Amino acid sequence: MIPTAYTEKEKNMVFQSEMLPHLDSMYNFAFRLTLDEDDAKDLVQDTYLKAFRFINSFEKGTNAKAWLFRILKNSFINDFRKKSKEPSKVDYQEVETFYNSEEFDNEIEATSDLRSESVQDLIGDEVANAINSLEVDFRIAIILCDIEGFTYEEMAKILDIPIGTVRSRLHRARGLLKEKLSSYAKKMGYLQKS
Amino acid sequence: MTSDKNFHEKNEMKQSSDPCNCCCLDSLYTILDGEASEENTEELMAHIEKCLPCYQQYDLEVAIRELLQTRLAKKCPPQDLLDCIREKIASITITQ
Ligand SMILES: [Zn+2]
């Protein structure tokens, strides 16, 4: 990528008009990752400072939101996740071989009784808990695609992974989310125990 | 539903709770994510209308998407966040 040489004035203008309008989405993304309001605030601040410092690597006319999300995600992985004791997340081998595994059959079994009517009865807290309980890489995949509406190509850039991996990660994440939703639905008595 | 006859035939053939083998979840996701070609979308949607397991799968995926978009509370960033960012940027700009 050819860096753009912005003048100081242009730098500020690009930052104001292209970066700051995404503050709401950025904060929500940060909160879904850190699950803590103070950490989310710090993470968003960090991200914006980095964005300003490296604004020359932002190509005008490209997707600023995707660019910012990528910086935020990297800051989270490199700075925040190190601090926490969470073990390393997605095992890529596991993701790639997932389709042939027994786990896949179990997943179908676990969610085959989940119906759209029982999903519609779930409340916000249950949905939030289901998402938050996913491992962070799966959580990110769902947020980027289903909540923020990024394309596979944008997700590939944000996550630095090939599109095929975006697909398989999404597939796995959605299966896990369905399992969680299904267990909530069961707990709340929306589903008959089979 | 455009073709009731077909729908019922399939329904008798397959219990509604059977996992669907006639089209995979991956192509369903590709369509719901807006990543499929128009041709593939039309083809699969025509199939979904005729096949109960596929239709239920589709219906569930749509419901989950709606759930994520409507039930998940959006957080408001703290009021001073924007000011904090602006201040820090200003101080960087001055010291440079
Ligand atoms: Zn089918």
Side-chain angles (χ1 to χ4, degrees), chain A residues 16 24 27-28 31-32 37 41 45 48-49 52 99 108 114 116 119-120 122 124 127-128 131 145-147 151-152 167 171 174 178, chain B residues 19 25-26 29-30 33 35 59-61 63-65 67-69 71-78 80-82 85-86 88-89 93:
Chain A
Q16 289 283 340
D24 272 29
Y27 181 73
N28 276 278
F31 181 74
R32 293 262 157 251
E37 289 181 6
K41 191 182 168 191
Q45 265 194 65
Y48 270 110
L49 290 185
F52 188 77
Y99 294 99
I108 288 176
L114 186 62
S116 58
V119 157
Q120 276 146 13
L122 291 167
V127 182
I131 288 228
C145 191
D146 295 344
I147 297 173
T151 64
Y152 291 173
R167 283 173 185 275
H171 190 114
R174 285 169 172 160
K178 263 184 274 178
Chain B
L25 209 46
D26 263 334
Y29 286 153
T30 310
D33 293 338
E35 302 273 347
D59 196 39
L60 176 62
E61 294 300 331
I64 291 176
R65 250 153 236 260
L67 197 70
L68 292 175
Q69 277 156 16
R71 302 284 163 82
L72 215 54
K74 289 255 187 296
K75 286 227 152 230
C76 261
D80 61 338
L81 181 55
L82 185 60
I85 293 169
R86 282 214 169 102
K88 287 211 168 135
I89 300 292
T93 321

Short mmCIF file of all heavy atoms in Angstrom, two decimals, chain A residues 16 24 27-28 31-32 37 41 45 48-49 52 99 108 114 116 119-120 122 124 127-128 131 145-147 151-152 167 171 174 178, chain B residues 19 25-26 29-30 33 35 59-61 63-65 67-69 71-78 80-82 85-86 88-89 93:
data_model
loop_
_atom_site.label_atom_id
_atom_site.label_comp_id
_atom_site.label_asym_id
_atom_site.label_seq_id
_atom_site.Cartn_x
_atom_site.Cartn_y
_atom_site.Cartn_z
N GLN A 16 -11.38 13.85 11.60
CA GLN A 16 -12.69 14.37 12.00
C GLN A 16 -13.83 13.76 11.18
O GLN A 16 -14.84 13.33 11.72
CB GLN A 16 -12.75 15.89 11.78
CG GLN A 16 -11.93 16.71 12.74
CD GLN A 16 -12.60 16.84 14.09
OE1 GLN A 16 -13.80 16.64 14.22
NE2 GLN A 16 -11.83 17.15 15.11
N ASP A 24 -19.31 5.40 18.11
CA ASP A 24 -20.33 4.53 18.72
C ASP A 24 -20.09 3.05 18.43
O ASP A 24 -20.08 2.22 19.34
CB ASP A 24 -21.73 4.90 18.22
CG ASP A 24 -22.36 5.99 19.08
OD1 ASP A 24 -21.60 6.80 19.64
OD2 ASP A 24 -23.60 6.00 19.19
N TYR A 27 -16.95 1.83 20.20
CA TYR A 27 -17.12 1.61 21.63
C TYR A 27 -17.89 0.31 21.89
O TYR A 27 -17.54 -0.47 22.79
CB TYR A 27 -17.83 2.80 22.28
CG TYR A 27 -18.00 2.63 23.77
CD1 TYR A 27 -16.92 2.75 24.63
CD2 TYR A 27 -19.25 2.32 24.32
CE1 TYR A 27 -17.05 2.56 26.00
CE2 TYR A 27 -19.40 2.13 25.69
CZ TYR A 27 -18.30 2.25 26.52
OH TYR A 27 -18.43 2.06 27.86
N ASN A 28 -18.92 0.09 21.10
CA ASN A 28 -19.69 -1.15 21.26
C ASN A 28 -18.84 -2.39 20.97
O ASN A 28 -18.94 -3.40 21.66
CB ASN A 28 -20.94 -1.12 20.40
CG ASN A 28 -22.08 -0.39 21.09
OD1 ASN A 28 -22.78 -0.97 21.92
ND2 ASN A 28 -22.24 0.88 20.80
N PHE A 31 -16.50 -2.86 23.83
CA PHE A 31 -17.19 -3.38 25.01
C PHE A 31 -17.48 -4.87 24.87
O PHE A 31 -17.32 -5.64 25.82
CB PHE A 31 -18.49 -2.62 25.28
CG PHE A 31 -19.21 -3.13 26.50
CD1 PHE A 31 -18.73 -2.84 27.77
CD2 PHE A 31 -20.33 -3.95 26.38
CE1 PHE A 31 -19.37 -3.34 28.91
CE2 PHE A 31 -20.97 -4.45 27.50
CZ PHE A 31 -20.49 -4.14 28.77
N ARG A 32 -17.88 -5.30 23.67
CA ARG A 32 -18.16 -6.72 23.44
C ARG A 32 -16.88 -7.56 23.56
O ARG A 32 -16.95 -8.75 23.85
CB ARG A 32 -18.79 -6.96 22.08
CG ARG A 32 -20.16 -6.39 21.93
CD ARG A 32 -21.26 -7.43 22.16
NE ARG A 32 -22.50 -6.76 22.53
CZ ARG A 32 -23.03 -6.80 23.75
NH1 ARG A 32 -22.49 -7.54 24.69
NH2 ARG A 32 -24.14 -6.13 24.02
N GLU A 37 -16.63 -1.61 30.92
CA GLU A 37 -16.80 -0.25 30.39
C GLU A 37 -15.50 0.55 30.40
O GLU A 37 -15.20 1.26 29.44
CB GLU A 37 -17.88 0.48 31.19
CG GLU A 37 -19.27 -0.07 30.88
CD GLU A 37 -20.38 0.65 31.63
OE1 GLU A 37 -20.10 1.66 32.32
OE2 GLU A 37 -21.54 0.20 31.53
N LYS A 41 -13.39 1.85 27.14
CA LYS A 41 -13.03 3.26 26.93
C LYS A 41 -11.55 3.41 26.62
O LYS A 41 -11.17 4.11 25.66
CB LYS A 41 -13.40 4.04 28.20
CG LYS A 41 -13.33 5.53 28.03
CD LYS A 41 -13.67 6.23 29.35
CE LYS A 41 -13.31 7.70 29.24
NZ LYS A 41 -13.36 8.37 30.56
N GLN A 45 -9.82 4.71 23.08
CA GLN A 45 -8.88 5.84 23.07
C GLN A 45 -7.55 5.46 22.43
O GLN A 45 -7.05 6.16 21.56
CB GLN A 45 -8.61 6.27 24.52
CG GLN A 45 -9.48 7.41 24.96
CD GLN A 45 -8.95 8.01 26.25
OE1 GLN A 45 -7.85 8.58 26.30
NE2 GLN A 45 -9.72 7.88 27.29
N TYR A 48 -7.90 5.15 18.68
CA TYR A 48 -7.98 6.42 17.96
C TYR A 48 -6.62 7.13 17.93
O TYR A 48 -6.28 7.76 16.94
CB TYR A 48 -9.07 7.32 18.56
CG TYR A 48 -10.41 7.09 17.89
CD1 TYR A 48 -11.45 6.48 18.56
CD2 TYR A 48 -10.61 7.48 16.56
CE1 TYR A 48 -12.68 6.26 17.94
CE2 TYR A 48 -11.83 7.26 15.93
CZ TYR A 48 -12.86 6.66 16.63
OH TYR A 48 -14.05 6.44 16.00
N LEU A 49 -5.86 7.01 19.01
CA LEU A 49 -4.53 7.62 19.00
C LEU A 49 -3.64 6.96 17.97
O LEU A 49 -2.93 7.62 17.22
CB LEU A 49 -3.89 7.52 20.39
CG LEU A 49 -4.52 8.40 21.48
CD1 LEU A 49 -3.72 8.32 22.76
CD2 LEU A 49 -4.63 9.84 21.02
N PHE A 52 -4.67 8.02 14.52
CA PHE A 52 -4.17 9.36 14.16
C PHE A 52 -2.69 9.31 13.80
O PHE A 52 -2.25 9.88 12.81
CB PHE A 52 -4.40 10.33 15.32
CG PHE A 52 -4.09 11.75 14.94
CD1 PHE A 52 -4.97 12.50 14.18
CD2 PHE A 52 -2.88 12.34 15.33
CE1 PHE A 52 -4.68 13.80 13.81
CE2 PHE A 52 -2.58 13.65 14.97
CZ PHE A 52 -3.48 14.38 14.22
N TYR A 99 -15.16 -29.87 9.82
CA TYR A 99 -16.25 -30.45 9.05
C TYR A 99 -16.31 -31.97 9.10
O TYR A 99 -17.33 -32.57 8.90
CB TYR A 99 -16.19 -29.98 7.59
CG TYR A 99 -16.43 -28.51 7.51
CD1 TYR A 99 -15.37 -27.62 7.40
CD2 TYR A 99 -17.74 -28.02 7.57
CE1 TYR A 99 -15.60 -26.27 7.35
CE2 TYR A 99 -17.97 -26.67 7.52
CZ TYR A 99 -16.90 -25.79 7.41
OH TYR A 99 -17.13 -24.45 7.38
N ILE A 108 -25.27 -30.56 15.33
CA ILE A 108 -26.57 -30.64 14.66
C ILE A 108 -27.61 -31.21 15.61
O ILE A 108 -28.71 -30.71 15.71
CB ILE A 108 -26.46 -31.52 13.38
CG1 ILE A 108 -25.67 -30.76 12.31
CG2 ILE A 108 -27.84 -31.89 12.86
CD1 ILE A 108 -25.42 -31.55 11.07
N LEU A 114 -33.98 -26.51 18.10
CA LEU A 114 -34.13 -25.06 18.25
C LEU A 114 -34.95 -24.54 17.08
O LEU A 114 -34.64 -24.79 15.93
CB LEU A 114 -32.76 -24.38 18.29
CG LEU A 114 -32.74 -22.88 18.57
CD1 LEU A 114 -33.32 -22.56 19.94
CD2 LEU A 114 -31.33 -22.33 18.47
N SER A 116 -37.30 -21.18 15.31
CA SER A 116 -37.32 -19.72 15.29
C SER A 116 -38.29 -19.16 16.32
O SER A 116 -38.04 -18.12 16.91
CB SER A 116 -37.67 -19.22 13.90
OG SER A 116 -38.91 -19.73 13.50
N VAL A 119 -36.56 -18.96 19.62
CA VAL A 119 -35.53 -17.92 19.57
C VAL A 119 -36.16 -16.54 19.76
O VAL A 119 -35.62 -15.67 20.45
CB VAL A 119 -34.77 -18.00 18.23
CG1 VAL A 119 -34.13 -16.68 17.89
CG2 VAL A 119 -33.73 -19.09 18.28
N GLN A 120 -37.34 -16.37 19.17
CA GLN A 120 -37.99 -15.06 19.26
C GLN A 120 -38.42 -14.70 20.68
O GLN A 120 -38.66 -13.55 20.98
CB GLN A 120 -39.20 -15.02 18.30
CG GLN A 120 -38.78 -14.66 16.88
CD GLN A 120 -39.63 -15.35 15.82
OE1 GLN A 120 -40.66 -15.92 16.12
NE2 GLN A 120 -39.16 -15.29 14.58
N LEU A 122 -36.52 -15.24 23.33
CA LEU A 122 -35.35 -14.92 24.15
C LEU A 122 -35.25 -13.40 24.36
O LEU A 122 -35.60 -12.63 23.49
CB LEU A 122 -34.07 -15.44 23.49
CG LEU A 122 -33.90 -16.95 23.45
CD1 LEU A 122 -32.78 -17.34 22.50
CD2 LEU A 122 -33.62 -17.50 24.83
N GLY A 124 -33.01 -9.82 25.64
CA GLY A 124 -31.69 -9.24 25.37
C GLY A 124 -30.58 -9.79 26.24
O GLY A 124 -29.48 -10.05 25.75
N VAL A 127 -29.45 -13.14 25.05
CA VAL A 127 -28.69 -13.02 23.80
C VAL A 127 -27.28 -12.53 24.11
O VAL A 127 -26.29 -13.07 23.61
CB VAL A 127 -29.38 -12.05 22.82
CG1 VAL A 127 -28.61 -11.99 21.52
CG2 VAL A 127 -30.82 -12.48 22.57
N ALA A 128 -27.19 -11.50 24.96
CA ALA A 128 -25.87 -10.95 25.33
C ALA A 128 -25.02 -12.01 26.01
O ALA A 128 -23.84 -12.17 25.70
CB ALA A 128 -26.05 -9.73 26.23
N ILE A 131 -23.67 -14.55 23.48
CA ILE A 131 -22.56 -14.00 22.69
C ILE A 131 -21.30 -13.89 23.54
O ILE A 131 -20.22 -14.29 23.14
CB ILE A 131 -22.91 -12.60 22.16
CG1 ILE A 131 -23.95 -12.73 21.07
CG2 ILE A 131 -21.68 -11.88 21.67
CD1 ILE A 131 -23.64 -11.94 19.84
N CYS A 145 -19.87 -9.78 11.32
CA CYS A 145 -20.76 -10.15 10.22
C CYS A 145 -22.22 -9.84 10.54
O CYS A 145 -22.89 -9.14 9.79
CB CYS A 145 -20.59 -11.63 9.90
SG CYS A 145 -21.43 -12.09 8.37
N ASP A 146 -22.72 -10.36 11.65
CA ASP A 146 -24.16 -10.29 11.90
C ASP A 146 -24.61 -8.99 12.54
O ASP A 146 -25.77 -8.62 12.45
CB ASP A 146 -24.59 -11.47 12.80
CG ASP A 146 -24.40 -12.79 12.08
OD1 ASP A 146 -24.25 -12.77 10.84
OD2 ASP A 146 -24.40 -13.84 12.74
N ILE A 147 -23.72 -8.31 13.23
CA ILE A 147 -24.12 -7.06 13.88
C ILE A 147 -23.64 -5.86 13.07
O ILE A 147 -24.40 -4.95 12.79
CB ILE A 147 -23.62 -7.00 15.34
CG1 ILE A 147 -24.29 -8.16 16.12
CG2 ILE A 147 -23.97 -5.66 15.98
CD1 ILE A 147 -23.78 -8.35 17.52
N THR A 151 -18.56 -7.30 4.99
CA THR A 151 -18.51 -8.39 4.01
C THR A 151 -17.40 -9.36 4.39
O THR A 151 -16.53 -9.04 5.22
CB THR A 151 -18.22 -7.85 2.60
OG1 THR A 151 -16.90 -7.27 2.61
CG2 THR A 151 -19.22 -6.78 2.19
N TYR A 152 -17.40 -10.55 3.76
CA TYR A 152 -16.35 -11.53 4.03
C TYR A 152 -14.98 -10.93 3.72
O TYR A 152 -14.01 -11.17 4.42
CB TYR A 152 -16.55 -12.80 3.17
CG TYR A 152 -17.75 -13.65 3.55
CD1 TYR A 152 -18.11 -14.73 2.76
CD2 TYR A 152 -18.50 -13.39 4.69
CE1 TYR A 152 -19.21 -15.53 3.09
CE2 TYR A 152 -19.59 -14.18 5.02
CZ TYR A 152 -19.95 -15.26 4.21
OH TYR A 152 -21.01 -16.04 4.52
N ARG A 167 -15.12 -17.87 6.45
CA ARG A 167 -16.29 -18.72 6.31
C ARG A 167 -16.35 -19.80 7.37
O ARG A 167 -17.36 -20.01 8.02
CB ARG A 167 -16.28 -19.41 4.95
CG ARG A 167 -16.68 -18.54 3.80
CD ARG A 167 -16.44 -19.33 2.51
NE ARG A 167 -16.70 -18.53 1.34
CZ ARG A 167 -17.91 -18.39 0.81
NH1 ARG A 167 -18.95 -19.00 1.32
NH2 ARG A 167 -18.08 -17.62 -0.25
N HIS A 171 -19.02 -20.17 10.42
CA HIS A 171 -19.82 -21.39 10.49
C HIS A 171 -19.76 -21.98 11.90
O HIS A 171 -20.78 -22.29 12.52
CB HIS A 171 -19.28 -22.39 9.46
CG HIS A 171 -20.15 -23.58 9.26
ND1 HIS A 171 -20.80 -23.85 8.09
CD2 HIS A 171 -20.51 -24.57 10.11
CE1 HIS A 171 -21.51 -24.96 8.22
NE2 HIS A 171 -21.34 -25.42 9.44
N ARG A 174 -21.41 -19.65 14.55
CA ARG A 174 -22.87 -19.68 14.53
C ARG A 174 -23.41 -20.96 15.13
O ARG A 174 -24.44 -20.96 15.80
CB ARG A 174 -23.37 -19.50 13.10
CG ARG A 174 -23.23 -18.07 12.65
CD ARG A 174 -23.45 -17.89 11.18
NE ARG A 174 -23.50 -16.49 10.83
CZ ARG A 174 -23.30 -16.03 9.60
NH1 ARG A 174 -23.05 -16.86 8.62
NH2 ARG A 174 -23.37 -14.74 9.37
N LYS A 178 -25.78 -21.05 18.40
CA LYS A 178 -27.05 -21.77 18.40
C LYS A 178 -27.15 -22.72 19.58
O LYS A 178 -28.19 -22.85 20.20
CB LYS A 178 -27.23 -22.54 17.09
CG LYS A 178 -28.07 -21.77 16.09
CD LYS A 178 -28.31 -22.59 14.84
CE LYS A 178 -27.16 -22.40 13.88
NZ LYS A 178 -27.30 -23.21 12.66
N PRO B 19 -32.06 -33.45 10.30
CA PRO B 19 -31.16 -32.44 9.74
C PRO B 19 -31.20 -32.53 8.21
O PRO B 19 -31.36 -33.61 7.65
CB PRO B 19 -29.79 -32.84 10.28
CG PRO B 19 -29.93 -34.20 10.84
CD PRO B 19 -31.37 -34.46 11.08
N LEU B 25 -25.51 -25.85 5.09
CA LEU B 25 -25.61 -24.63 5.86
C LEU B 25 -24.71 -23.54 5.27
O LEU B 25 -25.04 -22.36 5.30
CB LEU B 25 -25.19 -24.94 7.30
CG LEU B 25 -25.77 -24.13 8.44
CD1 LEU B 25 -27.28 -23.98 8.30
CD2 LEU B 25 -25.45 -24.80 9.76
N ASP B 26 -23.58 -23.97 4.69
CA ASP B 26 -22.65 -23.00 4.13
C ASP B 26 -23.27 -22.16 3.01
O ASP B 26 -23.09 -20.95 2.97
CB ASP B 26 -21.40 -23.72 3.58
CG ASP B 26 -20.27 -23.69 4.59
OD1 ASP B 26 -20.26 -22.76 5.42
OD2 ASP B 26 -19.42 -24.59 4.55
N TYR B 29 -25.65 -19.71 4.52
CA TYR B 29 -24.95 -18.56 5.09
C TYR B 29 -24.48 -17.59 4.01
O TYR B 29 -24.59 -16.38 4.15
CB TYR B 29 -23.73 -19.03 5.90
CG TYR B 29 -24.07 -19.67 7.23
CD1 TYR B 29 -23.23 -20.62 7.81
CD2 TYR B 29 -25.23 -19.31 7.91
CE1 TYR B 29 -23.54 -21.21 9.02
CE2 TYR B 29 -25.54 -19.90 9.13
CZ TYR B 29 -24.70 -20.85 9.68
OH TYR B 29 -24.99 -21.42 10.89
N THR B 30 -23.96 -18.17 2.93
CA THR B 30 -23.46 -17.32 1.84
C THR B 30 -24.58 -16.42 1.32
O THR B 30 -24.36 -15.24 1.04
CB THR B 30 -22.92 -18.20 0.70
OG1 THR B 30 -22.03 -19.16 1.26
CG2 THR B 30 -22.17 -17.38 -0.31
N ASP B 33 -25.67 -13.83 4.05
CA ASP B 33 -24.64 -12.82 4.23
C ASP B 33 -24.48 -11.93 3.01
O ASP B 33 -23.61 -11.05 2.98
CB ASP B 33 -23.27 -13.49 4.54
CG ASP B 33 -23.28 -14.18 5.91
OD1 ASP B 33 -24.12 -13.80 6.75
OD2 ASP B 33 -22.46 -15.10 6.12
N GLU B 35 -23.42 -12.82 0.07
CA GLU B 35 -22.17 -13.11 -0.63
C GLU B 35 -22.38 -14.05 -1.82
O GLU B 35 -21.42 -14.44 -2.47
CB GLU B 35 -21.15 -13.73 0.34
CG GLU B 35 -20.83 -12.89 1.56
CD GLU B 35 -19.69 -11.90 1.31
OE1 GLU B 35 -18.99 -12.02 0.30
OE2 GLU B 35 -19.53 -10.98 2.15
N ASP B 59 -35.40 -20.24 8.33
CA ASP B 59 -36.22 -19.45 9.24
C ASP B 59 -35.50 -19.19 10.57
O ASP B 59 -35.51 -18.08 11.09
CB ASP B 59 -37.52 -20.23 9.49
CG ASP B 59 -38.60 -19.35 10.08
OD1 ASP B 59 -38.70 -18.19 9.66
OD2 ASP B 59 -39.33 -19.84 10.97
N LEU B 60 -34.82 -20.22 11.07
CA LEU B 60 -34.08 -20.10 12.33
C LEU B 60 -32.90 -19.13 12.18
O LEU B 60 -32.68 -18.27 13.03
CB LEU B 60 -33.57 -21.49 12.76
CG LEU B 60 -32.68 -21.52 14.01
CD1 LEU B 60 -33.42 -21.02 15.24
CD2 LEU B 60 -32.16 -22.93 14.26
N GLU B 61 -32.19 -19.25 11.06
CA GLU B 61 -31.05 -18.36 10.85
C GLU B 61 -31.50 -16.90 10.76
O GLU B 61 -30.86 -16.00 11.29
CB GLU B 61 -30.27 -18.75 9.59
CG GLU B 61 -29.57 -20.10 9.66
CD GLU B 61 -28.55 -20.20 10.79
OE1 GLU B 61 -27.97 -19.17 11.17
OE2 GLU B 61 -28.34 -21.32 11.30
N ALA B 63 -34.19 -15.65 12.12
CA ALA B 63 -34.64 -15.24 13.46
C ALA B 63 -33.44 -14.89 14.35
O ALA B 63 -33.49 -13.89 15.09
CB ALA B 63 -35.46 -16.36 14.10
N ILE B 64 -32.36 -15.66 14.26
CA ILE B 64 -31.18 -15.38 15.08
C ILE B 64 -30.55 -14.05 14.68
O ILE B 64 -30.15 -13.25 15.52
CB ILE B 64 -30.15 -16.53 14.98
CG1 ILE B 64 -30.71 -17.78 15.66
CG2 ILE B 64 -28.81 -16.13 15.63
CD1 ILE B 64 -29.83 -19.01 15.56
N ARG B 65 -30.50 -13.81 13.36
CA ARG B 65 -29.97 -12.53 12.88
C ARG B 65 -30.78 -11.34 13.42
O ARG B 65 -30.23 -10.35 13.88
CB ARG B 65 -30.10 -12.48 11.37
CG ARG B 65 -28.80 -12.54 10.65
CD ARG B 65 -29.07 -13.15 9.30
NE ARG B 65 -28.20 -14.28 9.22
CZ ARG B 65 -27.05 -14.24 8.55
NH1 ARG B 65 -26.71 -13.16 7.89
NH2 ARG B 65 -26.27 -15.27 8.54
N LEU B 67 -32.59 -11.33 16.05
CA LEU B 67 -32.35 -11.29 17.48
C LEU B 67 -31.08 -10.49 17.79
O LEU B 67 -31.05 -9.62 18.67
CB LEU B 67 -32.17 -12.73 17.95
CG LEU B 67 -32.28 -13.07 19.42
CD1 LEU B 67 -33.72 -12.94 19.86
CD2 LEU B 67 -31.81 -14.51 19.65
N LEU B 68 -30.02 -10.79 17.06
CA LEU B 68 -28.74 -10.11 17.28
C LEU B 68 -28.84 -8.62 16.98
O LEU B 68 -28.23 -7.79 17.65
CB LEU B 68 -27.65 -10.73 16.41
CG LEU B 68 -27.24 -12.16 16.77
CD1 LEU B 68 -26.25 -12.70 15.77
CD2 LEU B 68 -26.66 -12.22 18.17
N GLN B 69 -29.62 -8.30 15.97
CA GLN B 69 -29.69 -6.90 15.57
C GLN B 69 -30.66 -6.08 16.42
O GLN B 69 -30.49 -4.88 16.56
CB GLN B 69 -30.04 -6.78 14.09
CG GLN B 69 -28.79 -6.95 13.23
CD GLN B 69 -29.11 -7.41 11.83
OE1 GLN B 69 -30.25 -7.34 11.39
NE2 GLN B 69 -28.11 -7.87 11.11
N ARG B 71 -32.22 -7.26 19.74
CA ARG B 71 -32.29 -7.46 21.20
C ARG B 71 -31.01 -7.08 21.93
O ARG B 71 -31.01 -6.94 23.15
CB ARG B 71 -32.59 -8.92 21.55
CG ARG B 71 -33.85 -9.47 21.00
CD ARG B 71 -35.09 -8.96 21.76
NE ARG B 71 -36.25 -9.21 20.92
CZ ARG B 71 -36.87 -10.37 20.85
NH1 ARG B 71 -36.48 -11.36 21.61
NH2 ARG B 71 -37.88 -10.54 20.05
N LEU B 72 -29.92 -7.01 21.18
CA LEU B 72 -28.66 -6.73 21.83
C LEU B 72 -28.56 -5.23 22.08
O LEU B 72 -28.49 -4.45 21.14
CB LEU B 72 -27.53 -7.19 20.90
CG LEU B 72 -26.28 -7.76 21.56
CD1 LEU B 72 -26.61 -8.91 22.51
CD2 LEU B 72 -25.33 -8.25 20.50
N ALA B 73 -28.57 -4.84 23.35
CA ALA B 73 -28.60 -3.42 23.68
C ALA B 73 -27.33 -2.73 23.19
O ALA B 73 -26.23 -3.23 23.38
CB ALA B 73 -28.74 -3.25 25.18
N LYS B 74 -27.50 -1.59 22.54
CA LYS B 74 -26.35 -0.79 22.11
C LYS B 74 -25.90 0.07 23.29
O LYS B 74 -26.72 0.68 23.96
CB LYS B 74 -26.73 0.11 20.94
CG LYS B 74 -26.97 -0.66 19.65
CD LYS B 74 -25.80 -0.49 18.69
CE LYS B 74 -26.07 -1.11 17.33
NZ LYS B 74 -26.26 -2.58 17.36
N LYS B 75 -24.60 0.08 23.53
CA LYS B 75 -24.07 0.88 24.62
C LYS B 75 -23.75 2.28 24.13
O LYS B 75 -23.26 2.46 23.03
CB LYS B 75 -22.77 0.25 25.12
CG LYS B 75 -23.00 -1.00 25.91
CD LYS B 75 -22.18 -0.93 27.19
CE LYS B 75 -22.82 -1.73 28.29
NZ LYS B 75 -22.96 -1.03 29.56
N CYS B 76 -24.02 3.26 24.99
CA CYS B 76 -23.62 4.63 24.66
C CYS B 76 -22.21 4.86 25.17
O CYS B 76 -21.92 4.57 26.32
CB CYS B 76 -24.56 5.61 25.33
SG CYS B 76 -25.80 6.22 24.21
N PRO B 77 -21.33 5.37 24.33
CA PRO B 77 -19.98 5.66 24.82
C PRO B 77 -20.06 6.71 25.94
O PRO B 77 -20.95 7.55 25.92
CB PRO B 77 -19.24 6.23 23.62
CG PRO B 77 -20.18 6.24 22.48
CD PRO B 77 -21.50 5.74 22.93
N PRO B 78 -19.14 6.65 26.91
CA PRO B 78 -19.14 7.66 27.98
C PRO B 78 -19.05 9.06 27.37
O PRO B 78 -18.38 9.25 26.36
CB PRO B 78 -17.90 7.34 28.80
CG PRO B 78 -17.30 6.11 28.24
CD PRO B 78 -18.05 5.69 27.03
N ASP B 80 -17.50 11.71 28.10
CA ASP B 80 -16.23 12.42 27.98
C ASP B 80 -15.26 11.75 27.01
O ASP B 80 -14.16 12.25 26.77
CB ASP B 80 -15.57 12.56 29.36
CG ASP B 80 -15.27 11.20 29.98
OD1 ASP B 80 -15.92 10.21 29.57
OD2 ASP B 80 -14.42 11.12 30.88
N LEU B 81 -15.67 10.61 26.42
CA LEU B 81 -14.74 9.87 25.56
C LEU B 81 -14.28 10.68 24.35
O LEU B 81 -13.08 10.78 24.07
CB LEU B 81 -15.38 8.54 25.12
CG LEU B 81 -14.53 7.64 24.22
CD1 LEU B 81 -13.18 7.31 24.85
CD2 LEU B 81 -15.27 6.34 23.90
N LEU B 82 -15.23 11.29 23.68
CA LEU B 82 -14.88 12.07 22.49
C LEU B 82 -13.94 13.23 22.85
O LEU B 82 -12.95 13.46 22.15
CB LEU B 82 -16.15 12.59 21.82
CG LEU B 82 -15.97 13.32 20.49
CD1 LEU B 82 -15.32 12.43 19.45
CD2 LEU B 82 -17.31 13.85 19.98
N ILE B 85 -10.40 11.99 23.56
CA ILE B 85 -9.68 11.69 22.32
C ILE B 85 -9.21 12.99 21.67
O ILE B 85 -8.04 13.13 21.30
CB ILE B 85 -10.56 10.88 21.35
CG1 ILE B 85 -10.83 9.48 21.93
CG2 ILE B 85 -9.90 10.76 19.98
CD1 ILE B 85 -11.89 8.69 21.19
N ARG B 86 -10.12 13.95 21.57
CA ARG B 86 -9.77 15.23 20.93
C ARG B 86 -8.61 15.92 21.65
O ARG B 86 -7.69 16.43 21.02
CB ARG B 86 -10.99 16.15 20.93
CG ARG B 86 -12.00 15.79 19.85
CD ARG B 86 -12.69 17.04 19.32
NE ARG B 86 -13.46 16.73 18.11
CZ ARG B 86 -14.77 16.58 18.10
NH1 ARG B 86 -15.47 16.70 19.23
NH2 ARG B 86 -15.41 16.31 16.98
N LYS B 88 -6.26 14.53 23.55
CA LYS B 88 -4.98 13.83 23.34
C LYS B 88 -4.42 14.09 21.96
O LYS B 88 -3.21 14.26 21.81
CB LYS B 88 -5.20 12.31 23.55
CG LYS B 88 -5.38 11.98 25.02
CD LYS B 88 -4.86 10.60 25.35
CE LYS B 88 -4.79 10.43 26.86
NZ LYS B 88 -5.31 9.15 27.33
N ILE B 89 -5.31 14.10 20.98
CA ILE B 89 -4.86 14.37 19.60
C ILE B 89 -4.28 15.77 19.52
O ILE B 89 -3.22 15.99 18.93
CB ILE B 89 -6.03 14.23 18.60
CG1 ILE B 89 -6.64 12.83 18.63
CG2 ILE B 89 -5.59 14.62 17.19
CD1 ILE B 89 -5.76 11.73 18.12
N THR B 93 -0.48 16.87 18.40
CA THR B 93 -0.27 17.78 17.29
C THR B 93 0.63 18.96 17.70
O THR B 93 1.47 19.40 16.94
CB THR B 93 -1.62 18.33 16.76
OG1 THR B 93 -2.56 17.26 16.78
CG2 THR B 93 -1.49 18.85 15.35
#
